Amino acid sequence: MKIIIIGGVAGGATAAARLRRLNEKAEIILFEKDEYVSYANCGLPYHIGGTIKERDELFLQTPEGFKNRFRIDVRIKSEVVAIDAVRKTVTVKDLGTATQYEEEYDKLVISTGAKPIKPTISGIENENIFSLRNVPDMDRIKLFISEKNVSSAVIVGAGFIGLEMAENLKEAGLSVTVVEQADQVMGIVDYPMAAMVHQYLRTRKIDLLLKEKITAFEPDGKSIVVKTESRKSIPTDMVILSIGVTPENSLAREAGLEIGDLGGIVVNDYMQTSHADIYAVGDAVEVRNPITGKPALIPLAGPANKQARIAADNIIMGNKRVYRGTIGTSIAKVFDMTVASSGASERLLSREGMEYMTSISHAGSHAGYYPGALPLTVKINFAPDGKLLGAQIVGFDGVDKRIDLLAQVIGNGGSIYDLQEIEHAYAPPFSSAKDPVNMAGFIAENILTNRVKVIHWSDMLEVESDAMILDVRTKEEFEFGHIENAVNIPVDELRDRLAEIPANKPVYVYCAVGLRGYTASRILLQHGYTAVYNLSGGYKTYSCVQQDQRSVGGDIGVECDFFPVIRDDGEIRVESEKKVVVDACGLQCPGPIRELKKHYDTLLSGQQLTIKVTDQAFGQDLNAWCNMVGAKLIDMDHSGGVITATVQKTEPQNISIPGKGTPMNGSDTKTLIVFSDDLDKALATFVIANGMLAAGKKVSIFFTFWGLSVIKKLDKPAVKKDVVSRMFGMMLPSHSQKLGLSKINMMGAGSKMMRSVMKNKHIDSLENLMQQAIEGGAELIACSMSMDVMGIRKEELADGVTIGGVATYLERAEQSNINLFI
């Protein structure tokens, strides 16, 4: 029997070795158009980053090794350019001599793999743009980095390979920007899980740009500029395309083999193509997804190896072994974080019209009382009958063994009830008595049996205005941050305070991770409350998603809630020695104080925070800030132009997001009146306001007469006005970017110079300062009388501005101990 294999690596090389083990006498020829026949494709990024030091470690087998061990005729630099399925021949081009010849076969295995997607974008042929699919690609990238002294890279696409490249290029010392057209990285996981990855990437100084479409690549000397649809221009030394892959099907298509709707070669359960003597394996084929029952493209090395082994068995022994399909189990290392997925995501289930339910649970990688437990988040998707459809895990330890357990249940068509019964190896250093996989099953059963009704983070944004949001965490946890308008009744006090909970309104319960919320829900349900809903994943999931949606490319030190260690009973246990390091270098006042406040509020009493700042005025500001908030200054060092300071939390501070009607008290409330439309005075207003907010104060800013121009929208809707109002509109600045200076304005040139200098010195613009103040909870009030006189409508002002009169101002001023007039 003569067997020809087209393509090496995972599929072809595995098939060749298996064929020889099954049949010592068969003639086996393997054609590979490159010079490498068997190598660790998935290891390529790690050699670029330096984790895999020696290039030779990537090679699993050489042509000589195949010949010596298996007596396989491996012909490298030999491209099969045609298949004649009727005559059972292949036409081969020797790339060294450019000559062509034919070889006959009895059986043929196609393992041509997939090729990188290369969209039609202007400038995409630039020599600074690369893809990574094989060893030559890797060599070109490494050589380019070393020879061109590359310091920055843009990665287009944020799938698993894209993020692995981001990590490895960062480890190689490059500044890295990741551009992704979708609203999340890693499209095979659901958004709440991806949000955690977003936040973590930003803490690792990866500039992450989501919902950005590349429109062009423009040369700029030795560099390249990446242009986006939102008019961003990103200068960089090199670009890595990681948009995805598509099956390499040209040979099979030209040979008349059946090609599926997704572009892959159609095979049956025996890995046999539409021609009985031709088999196909790996990334080039369409496999059956057992969850949807439909064809799928799942380009992974593990399935390719298994398909190759089955195809080889069927070639030698007849069609007896069946390939059961691919559920797409995958895992990726993203710096210290691990992200894994198996089965169907919500996006896939929705697209296929399959009914499903979800749950999110947070746990520790092992028993919380044993040192070193790290956070682990498990999300499962399951059918109304309990069948497990998909699972995703994000964490820092133990992710791999949990996703493997979940994958086995999914692959075997199991249910959430099977998760409850999984027997795992348990000892405190390795797991908990109830493993996170068991807990995911318990939670899902509670949902299916209506022991608890759940609400998800996205639905929490649209709860009824008259509903009660009930936070059942401790008072201390509540003060560190909570959902707006929530009422805090700790679960241990709940039975004694039922009178405070309305029986005729929906009650939305949440805790840190969901367990105490479940307990509280059960208490309420058994006391006659009917419309009770527990927040899936608790405040940890909600706060992370909310933080992600507020983040704008590269927040410094962003964390979505802090990651606590979780006991088996769901209580939070925080290590007293926890330290947080915040890098605020490059930020100007009040940026460093604002970053300090944001991270200081995540600490518990006794914990410390270290901040690095290049703004030399920070030292004096820090002493004043510590006096205001009661923090203890442990140490402050000036070295090399960087101030490094360590502070200790002494008293918990409330960092809840204030809403309308938030109570104020005099010592915490400051009021400003803005009467001017001068740019410099508006800047002073918001610099002072942000400094006050960073010190934990409540701030109200009252805009009157000319000051109303400061808070006009850039893009205002058309509104009807009388003649006088239109005249005012023509004479006054139309929005903040049109404001002039109080002195040396020079017909607008001065204000442009001011903005240019601020940008060069990395000082936030007026518009950024305004947005920071709004996000920090500042209340902006527009004088209704001034609006009426000047013909300004509410629709022309920034979103969220309160319309009020003198009484509104006086109420705020009465409660304030500082009142500034600008």
Side-chain angles (χ1 to χ4, degrees):
M1 180 186 291
K2 184 177 180 180
I3 307 167
I4 287 179
I5 302 169
I6 305 174
V9 198
T14 297
R18 179 67 171 174
L19 285 164
R20 174 58 74 221
R21 293 190 186 101
L22 294 176
N23 191 319
E24 182 66 18
K25 296 181 180 180
E27 181 183 358
I28 304 171
I29 305 175
L30 189 154
F31 292 108
E32 172 55 56
K33 66 180 179 181
D34 292 325
E35 57 183 304
Y36 308 102
V37 65
S38 180
Y39 57 89
N41 189 287
C42 298
L44 302 181
Y46 298 99
H47 180 57
I48 293 172
T51 300
I52 299 174
K53 302 294 183 185
E54 300 299 327
R55 180 176 178 274
D56 288 347
E57 293 177 5
L58 296 169
F59 299 104
L60 308 177
Q61 189 58 273
T62 63
E64 296 77 17
F66 260 108
K67 182 176 181 180
N68 294 336
R69 179 166 298 179
F70 298 111
R71 294 296 186 267
I72 292 172
D73 184 0
V74 177
R75 303 181 191 179
I76 59 173
K77 296 184 179 179
S78 298
E79 182 180 5
V80 176
V81 294
I83 300 170
D84 189 328
V86 177
R87 294 175 53 234
K88 298 177 69 171
T89 63
V90 296
T91 302
V92 184
K93 181 179 181 180
D94 186 321
L95 299 180
T97 64
T99 59
Q100 291 190 1
Y101 61 94
E102 283 190 349
E103 285 282 356
E104 296 180 343
Y105 65 82
D106 295 309
K107 300 289 182 181
L108 177 68
V109 178
I110 299 175
S111 180
T112 48
K115 58 186 177 182
I117 294 172
K118 198 171 184 179
T120 54
I121 298 175
S122 174
I124 201 165
E125 300 300 332
N126 189 293
E127 63 181 10
N128 295 37
I129 299 177
F130 302 85
S131 295
L132 179 63
R133 187 63 183 169
N134 52 35
V135 172
D137 291 341
M138 176 192 74
D139 291 339
R140 283 192 289 270
I141 291 171
K142 272 192 77 72
L143 184 64
F144 186 84
I145 291 173
S146 60
E147 287 191 345
K148 304 295 184 181
N149 196 26
V150 172
S151 62
S152 63
V154 168
I155 296 171
V156 182
F160 277 50
I161 300 300
L163 294 191
E164 287 176 351
M165 281 302 299
E167 173 190 351
N168 282 283
L169 290 177
K170 190 72 176 177
E171 295 294 340
L174 278 64
S175 171
V176 179
T177 299
V178 176
V179 182
E180 170 57 54
Q181 186 172 341
D183 64 350
Q184 67 166 82
V185 303
M186 295 180 164
I188 63 172
V189 303
D190 295 322
Y191 178 70
M193 307 297 277
M196 291 185 282
V197 184
H198 299 167
Q199 299 304 310
Y200 182 67
L201 286 169
R202 290 174 176 129
T203 67
R204 300 306 298 254
K205 303 298 185 289
I206 298 295
D207 192 5
L208 180 61
L209 303 179
L210 301 173
K211 301 171 74 173
E212 287 284 1
K213 184 178 180 180
I214 305 294
T215 56
F217 299 103
E218 296 181 357
D220 183 19
K222 294 182 179 180
S223 300
I224 187 170
V225 177
V226 180
K227 297 283 190 176
T228 74
E229 200 169 55
S230 67
R231 298 186 179 179
K232 282 188 173 65
S233 295
I234 311 166
T236 187
D237 294 328
M238 69 183 302
V239 173
I240 306 291
L241 296 178
S242 183
I243 301 171
V245 295
T246 185
E248 182 60 85
N249 63 16
S250 56
L251 267 179
R253 186 185 296 276
E254 291 166 7
L257 301 183
E258 184 181 355
I259 304 297
D261 293 338
L262 301 177
I265 302 170
V266 173
V267 293
N268 60 19
D269 290 345
Y270 305 110
M271 304 309 301
Q272 194 175 36
T273 69
S274 55
H275 194 284
D277 292 318
I278 302 177
Y279 292 74
V281 300
D283 298 354
V285 308
E286 290 185 5
V287 296
R288 184 179 62 84
N289 184 329
I291 298 166
T292 65
K294 295 182 178 180
L297 296 174
I298 304 179
L300 295 171
N305 276 279
K306 296 173 182 65
Q307 293 161 16
R309 186 180 176 91
I310 289 171
D313 288 359
N314 290 333
I315 288 172
I316 299 299
M317 299 181 294
N319 287 345
K320 295 180 180 179
R321 291 199 58 195
V322 169
Y323 185 67
R324 297 193 300 170
T326 305
I327 60 173
T329 303
S330 53
I331 192 167
K333 173 182 176 291
V334 183
F335 295 97
D336 296 326
M337 177 179 274
T338 306
V339 184
S341 173
S342 184
S345 66
E346 287 195 61
R347 184 180 293 105
L348 175 59
L349 294 169
S350 297
R351 188 169 68 234
E352 295 298 330
M354 299 176 66
E355 191 175 356
Y356 68 93
M357 308 170 81
T358 75
S359 74
I360 297 176
S361 55
H362 302 279
S365 56
H366 59 247
Y369 57 81
Y370 187 88
L374 295 172
L376 194 74
T377 300
V378 180
K379 182 178 188 293
I380 60 173
N381 302 326
F382 51 97
D385 64 358
K387 182 179 180 180
L388 188 61
L389 303 174
Q392 300 153 28
I393 308 179
V394 174
F396 295 88
D397 184 38
V399 172
D400 52 347
K401 68 178 182 180
R402 272 57 181 240
I403 200 66
D404 287 343
L405 290 172
L406 289 159
Q408 287 302 305
V409 175
I410 296 170
N412 291 328
S415 72
I416 58 100
Y417 302 102
D418 295 313
L419 301 182
Q420 302 174 7
E421 301 299 327
I422 284 179
E423 183 177 347
H424 63 283
Y426 162 61
F430 305 104
S431 184
S432 300
K434 291 181 286 189
D435 189 80
V437 172
N438 300 139
M439 290 301 300
F442 297 147
I443 294 168
E445 184 197 18
N446 288 334
I447 295 171
L448 288 177
T449 57
N450 285 320
R451 291 194 186 97
V452 65
K453 297 175 184 176
V454 294
I455 184 171
H456 298 285
W457 67 269
S458 54
D459 299 319
M460 279 295 292
L461 304 176
E462 300 176 0
V463 298
E464 303 91 327
S465 58
D466 63 341
M468 182 178 191
I469 302 176
L470 178 60
D471 186 321
V472 297
R473 299 173 299 161
T474 64
K475 181 177 182 293
E476 188 177 47
E477 290 174 87
F478 181 80
E479 290 177 341
F480 292 150
H482 56 256
I483 297 175
E484 187 174 354
N485 298 322
V487 175
N488 180 220
I489 303 178
V491 66
D492 293 340
E493 302 174 16
L494 188 59
R495 291 181 180 86
D496 298 325
R497 299 175 61 180
L498 292 174
E500 300 175 37
I501 303 171
N504 60 343
K505 296 180 180 179
V507 180
Y508 297 97
V509 183
Y510 73 92
C511 64
V513 297
L515 183 55
R516 283 173 289 172
Y518 169 64
T519 301
S521 298
R522 293 300 301 160
I523 292 171
L524 293 175
L525 287 169
Q526 293 178 78
H527 279 82
Y529 294 83
T530 55
V532 180
Y533 303 86
N534 186 31
L535 177 59
S536 181
Y539 185 70
K540 184 170 182 177
T541 295
Y542 178 88
S543 65
C544 191
V545 174
Q546 289 296 91
Q547 176 64 61
D548 181 57
Q549 295 187 338
R550 288 194 298 267
S551 296
V552 179
D555 269 7
I556 295 179
V558 171
E559 281 188 280
C560 46
D561 209 12
F562 70 82
F563 285 118
V565 178
I566 304 187
R567 293 184 187 273
D568 287 351
D569 60 4
E571 291 300 314
I572 292 182
R573 172 176 174 268
V574 182
E575 303 297 338
S576 61
E577 65 270 19
K578 173 186 172 178
K579 287 190 177 181
V580 175
V581 177
V582 179
D583 185 354
C585 293
L587 294 182
Q588 299 295 320
C589 178
I593 287 291
R594 181 163 41 83
E595 289 298 319
L596 173 62
K597 172 66 166 58
K598 179 170 64 176
H599 294 280
Y600 181 85
D601 286 335
T602 70
L603 304 179
L604 296 181
S605 183
Q607 293 177 338
Q608 295 182 1
L609 176 153
T610 297
I611 185 168
K612 298 177 183 293
V613 181
T614 48
D615 179 6
Q616 297 303 301
F618 177 73
Q620 184 63 38
D621 287 349
L622 179 60
N623 284 299
W625 182 85
C626 287
N627 290 333
M628 283 190 291
V629 302
K632 182 179 180 181
L633 179 58
I634 302 297
D635 180 59
M636 184 159 56
D637 173 69
H638 296 252
S639 178
V642 177
I643 300 172
T644 303
T646 300
V647 299
Q648 185 176 50
K649 185 76 168 278
T650 55
E651 294 293 338
Q653 301 294 317
N654 192 335
I655 64 166
S656 62
I657 302 171
K660 292 181 180 179
T662 302
M664 297 182 176
N665 60 71
S667 62
D668 286 331
T669 305
K670 316 297 174 185
T671 308
L672 297 90
I673 308 173
V674 182
F675 186 79
S676 170
D677 62 0
D678 293 326
L679 173 62
D680 43 342
K681 294 176 183 177
L683 284 167
T685 298
F686 285 97
V687 167
I688 293 170
N690 282 320
M692 291 173 170
L693 291 165
K697 310 305 178 184
K698 303 289 191 301
V699 177
S700 295
I701 311 175
F702 192 81
F703 297 85
T704 184
F705 283 98
W706 322 123
L708 291 169
S709 296
V710 177
I711 53 174
K712 289 180 181 177
K713 288 179 178 175
L714 270 67
D715 297 312
K716 296 184 289 297
V719 292
K720 281 189 174 183
K721 293 190 176 186
D722 57 30
V723 175
V724 175
S725 297
R726 288 199 298 271
M727 288 178 64
F728 268 116
M730 289 186 287
M731 292 186 291
L732 294 173
S734 56
H735 50 71
S736 61
Q737 292 186 354
K738 298 293 185 180
L739 303 183
L741 294 177
S742 60
K743 296 184 183 296
I744 327 178
N745 187 48
M746 299 181 292
M747 300 181 68
S751 62
K752 291 181 180 178
M753 290 173 59
M754 171 73 79
R755 286 182 179 270
S756 176
V757 170
M758 290 171 63
K759 183 178 181 181
N760 291 336
K761 292 184 176 293
H762 305 291
I763 300 173
D764 283 323
S765 67
L766 170 60
E767 291 71 30
N768 284 343
L769 290 169
M770 290 171 63
Q771 186 60 35
Q772 291 164 11
I774 292 169
E775 292 176 353
E779 182 184 32
L780 308 188
I781 306 171
C783 174
S784 56
M785 182 272 292
S786 300
M787 290 174 62
D788 188 52
V789 169
M790 302 170 71
I792 297 174
R793 304 289 185 265
K794 180 178 180 179
E795 294 86 349
E796 298 178 83
L797 301 181
D799 294 334
V801 171
T802 300
I803 309 300
V806 174
T808 302
Y809 158 68
L810 289 175
E811 179 191 34
R812 304 298 191 272
E814 185 71 17
Q815 297 170 331
S816 171
N817 63 350
I818 288 183
N819 190 27
L820 303 180
F821 189 95
I822 300 176

